[in-house]
Amino acid sequence: GRRTANGEVFDKFSVSAAHPTMPLPSYARVTNLTNNRSIVVRVNDRGPYHGNRMLDVSQRVAEALDFRRMGTARVRMDFLGKAPMAGSDDTKLLASLRTDGR
């Protein structure tokens, strides 16, 4: 229920991420390099909050990319552009999940 850096309420079940320097809010495609699963996330907070990480992702993103049980994964992140300030776009972002490596 705490606020993210851009004022949204944090929800661990949203399709979101935290990054130290990306514009807030913005979109990025995150790819798990182990299994090539990828998804577009909404970057709406600053982080990561643990050392030696590129970004933090929500529980829902970790489940979609199939690394929640491991806790961390090697990922690639591609900036896609700015996101609108208002509204939830979780349904659209979940539809961006790719499991075929493309």
Side-chain angles (χ1 to χ4, degrees):
R2 294 189 307 189
R3 299 265 175 197
T4 64
N6 73 332
E8 298 174 21
V9 175
F10 175 72
D11 176 2
K12 69 180 179 179
F13 300 112
S14 68
V15 183
S16 63
H19 188 271
T21 61
M22 288 181 71
L24 298 180
S26 60
Y27 294 123
R29 178 166 290 279
V30 178
T31 303
N32 180 341
L33 296 175
T34 302
N35 59 18
N36 289 319
R37 293 173 70 100
S38 69
I39 192 168
V40 175
V41 300
R42 180 181 182 86
V43 179
N44 65 355
D45 205 0
R46 293 295 174 216
Y49 298 103
H50 298 282
N52 217 17
R53 293 185 185 176
M54 176 191 306
L55 76 159
D56 281 343
V57 298
S58 66
Q59 178 179 318
R60 192 165 198 180
V61 172
E63 289 169 354
L65 297 180
D66 197 28
F67 68 81
R68 181 169 177 252
R69 291 183 312 272
M70 294 172 279
T72 62
R74 290 182 41 85
V75 298
R76 181 181 69 236
M77 182 185 65
D78 300 299
F79 174 75
L80 300 178
K82 291 191 134 210
M85 283 297 290
S88 171
D89 47 9
D90 282 349
T91 303
K92 178 174 58 174
L93 295 177
L94 280 173
S96 74
L97 177 65
R98 293 182 181 170
T99 59
D100 61 2
R102 295 187 324 178

